[in-house]
Amino acid sequence: MYKTLLIKYGEIAIKGKNRHLFEDALVRQIRHALKSCDGEFTVYKEQGRIFIDCGDGYDYEEAVAALQHVFGIVGICPVMQAEDQGIDVLAADAVRFLGVSYQLEHQTFKVVTRRANKRYPMESMEISAYLGEKILEAYPQLSVDVHDPEILLHVELRESGKIFLYSKVIPGPGGMPVGTNGKAMLLLSGGIDSPVAGYMICKRGVKLDATYFHAPPYTSERAKQKVIDLAKKLTPYAGPINLHVVNFTDIQLYIYEKCPHDELTIIMRRYMMRIAEHFAKETKSLALVTGESIGQVASQTMQSLAATNAVCTMPVYRPLIGFDKQEIIDVSEKIDTYETSILPYEDCCTIFVAKHPVTKPNLHIIEASEKKLSEKIDELVRTAIETTETIWVE
Ligand code: ATP
Ligand code: MG
């Protein structure tokens, strides 16, 4: 029934001179999202709007689900195409369209006509009034409300002679098209938080790369696979992700050997940031992203975050900073990463964690402890970088 989908976009419509860049990015993301769906799709811009013509045999539910992952889309309107065979055929189509689209009870409605086809023999107001009358005849339980109708039926007489009918707006994910705001490096662990942090940054139009630190044999292949799976869960929103898998074992063992154990987590975190930043620079990311939130664990107190932050020269974005755990879980369920995140595989931080980690680290003390690591740590970092495995996740 729906041969065309009309895409509504919000925020990007107000970007002035750059508007076409945003629209082009949105068109690209839509095409990319539909690649994995059955059927042929033609995506095009027309008069400040984006349309998708759907070829025969496409799966409506599948296409809509794919589009609901494309940031920048505010709404998806399924469109019925009618032929121009006179106003009474159009009225019959409108009646049928409403009947199929809604469970009609006592709703209020309004018809809005847009007439780009100036050859059409009636004015738009006249057309709306006539269709409204015929709809009331067919569904006498309805009533007209021109100010605040529950059902708004759009009728578009297009220049091409085609007629589009649409009404329902299926919500999209909002945000901005990925790729319109540069790229960031996500520190992706196997937990609940970091995939959500990635999703949120990506929602603002930022493309993602990711870095994962594993510690074989202390962490298993399954733990690594879990992170790959999480990255994959993000790709319908983010597009392909270049995942850097860093072997962190020797660095962790060495820190464990040389540094006070209550400072382990902070010092490890600082090395993670340093290495992630190396890859971020190398791959032209503009920022680091973590799933940290104030006070969640010892390594996320204000003092700990400051100590971790001190080694970074790039901005570090922490989109979950003010979120409670439950709020983070709610998003992870929505984006379908939760079930994967809670699989019980060991994490490299939990293995080397101290019983009583410092919660208020003093930066001078941490720096003094790191001095004990001497040049050997630089060599270990170099080796970790050189042996990093890069996985293209799509
Ligand atoms: P998450 O649920 O994201 O694992 P968490 O609550 O377990 O977070 P931490 O373990 O303190 O918190 O990690 C804080 C942040 O540091 C993570 O959100 C992630 O961005 C980064 N991080 C932690 N461990 C790793 C790792 N092994 N690889 C990559 N990044 C990590
Ligand atoms: Mg974690």
Side-chain angles (χ1 to χ4, degrees):
M1 166 145 190
Y2 307 119
K3 284 236 171 79
T4 298
L5 300 170
L6 166 62
I7 300 302
K8 292 194 177 244
Y9 46 92
E11 225 170 317
I12 66 171
I14 54 173
K15 290 290 169 195
K17 270 192 274 174
N18 289 331
R19 177 177 168 146
H20 70 279
L21 296 177
F22 287 83
E23 289 172 340
D24 290 346
L26 185 53
V27 166
R28 261 198 315 276
Q29 294 303 107
I30 290 173
R31 288 194 179 126
H32 180 79
L34 292 172
K35 259 192 206 151
S36 58
C37 299
D38 285 338
E40 299 278 326
F41 301 90
T42 313
V43 187
Y44 56 98
K45 291 197 293 182
E46 204 182 87
Q47 292 172 353
R49 293 184 301 168
I50 292 173
F51 290 97
I52 305 169
D53 283 343
C54 311
D56 294 335
Y58 88 105
D59 181 335
Y60 170 75
E61 308 284 337
E62 183 189 44
V64 168
L67 293 169
Q68 283 185 306
H69 289 81
V70 178
F71 290 127
I73 295 182
V74 170
I76 304 153
C77 304
V79 178
M80 176 180 156
Q81 288 195 22
E83 296 299 324
D84 179 8
Q85 294 170 332
I87 189 72
D88 284 309
V89 175
L90 180 58
D93 283 335
V95 164
R96 189 161 63 91
F97 179 68
L98 286 187
V100 172
S101 302
Y102 294 98
Q103 192 79 35
L104 292 172
E105 284 153 12
H106 294 280
Q107 295 99 325
T108 56
F109 78 99
K110 176 187 179 177
V111 182
V112 177
T113 306
R114 185 158 153 169
R115 189 177 68 126
N117 174 7
K118 299 297 176 201
R119 300 178 304 278
Y120 202 83
M122 289 165 80
E123 296 279 341
S124 42
M125 293 290 273
E126 249 183 294
I127 299 168
S128 297
Y130 190 81
L131 296 180
E133 226 173 87
K134 295 290 170 188
I135 290 166
L136 277 177
E137 273 174 27
Y139 308 114
Q141 72 274 34
L142 298 179
S143 54
V144 173
D145 181 345
V146 292
H147 300 296
D148 189 21
E150 287 164 89
I151 297 174
L152 190 57
L153 172 65
H154 293 271
V155 177
E156 251 183 67
L157 304 149
R158 300 171 65 77
E159 234 168 308
S160 62
K162 277 188 188 154
I163 301 173
F164 282 8
L165 302 174
Y166 58 92
S167 180
K168 274 199 167 161
V169 186
I170 301 161
M176 300 169 95
V178 170
T180 53
N181 265 325
K183 191 163 76 170
M185 177 62 77
L186 170 66
L187 281 89
L188 181 62
S189 70
I192 295 169
D193 306 331
S194 43
V196 173
Y199 163 85
M200 292 188 63
I201 287 292
C202 191
K203 180 169 182 197
R204 300 307 302 163
V206 179
K207 213 178 137 30
L208 290 182
D209 274 350
T211 303
Y212 165 59
F213 296 88
H214 75 148
Y218 303 97
T219 63
S220 63
E221 266 308 296
R222 286 190 312 181
K224 171 177 154 189
Q225 186 57 44
K226 173 179 165 182
V227 174
I228 299 172
D229 292 345
L230 284 172
K232 190 153 178 63
K233 291 262 181 192
L234 288 177
T235 60
Y237 295 103
I241 294 173
N242 217 6
L243 173 66
H244 301 78
V245 180
V246 183
N247 186 331
F248 207 47
T249 316
D250 291 345
I251 294 174
Q252 282 194 307
L253 288 174
Y254 187 58
I255 297 172
Y256 193 79
E257 182 191 322
K258 297 282 179 188
C259 298
H261 286 187
D262 60 349
E263 294 169 14
L264 284 180
T265 312
I266 296 294
I267 295 176
M268 282 173 195
R269 200 38 61 71
R270 283 161 59 95
Y271 277 94
M272 282 187 184
M273 294 304 240
R274 289 176 172 113
I275 295 173
E277 187 170 287
H278 168 87
F279 289 117
K281 284 185 178 153
E282 197 178 74
T283 57
K284 303 208 163 40
S285 276
L286 298 170
L288 301 176
V289 180
T290 76
E292 291 159 314
S293 121
I294 294 175
Q296 202 190 71
V297 285
S299 59
Q300 297 177 30
T301 61
M302 289 288 277
Q303 292 84 351
S304 299
L305 290 169
T308 307
N309 216 64
V311 298
C312 302
T313 63
M314 276 186 177
V316 182
Y317 295 130
R318 300 178 171 91
L320 309 184
I321 200 71
F323 275 44
D324 293 344
K325 194 73 189 189
Q326 189 57 47
E327 292 172 307
I328 301 171
I329 290 174
D330 291 346
V331 182
S332 76
E333 283 176 335
K334 185 180 92 179
I335 65 172
D336 193 31
T337 52
Y338 183 71
E339 292 300 324
T340 308
S341 287
I342 60 171
L343 292 173
Y345 309 134
E346 60 295 301
D347 178 73
C348 72
C349 306
T350 46
I351 287 160
F352 295 94
V353 82
K355 277 211 184 69
H356 302 288
V358 281
T359 53
K360 292 184 180 152
N362 174 312
L363 189 54
H364 299 298
I365 297 175
I366 297 288
E367 282 171 351
S369 301
E370 280 184 6
K371 284 232 167 65
K372 293 187 207 128
L373 296 167
S374 68
E375 280 105 59
K376 186 168 170 202
I377 192 79
D378 300 332
E379 199 186 305
L380 291 176
V381 167
R382 224 174 303 124
T383 308
I385 288 171
E386 278 165 14
T387 57
T388 289
E389 179 191 5
T390 311
I391 303 173
W392 183 251
V393 184
E394 61 182 340

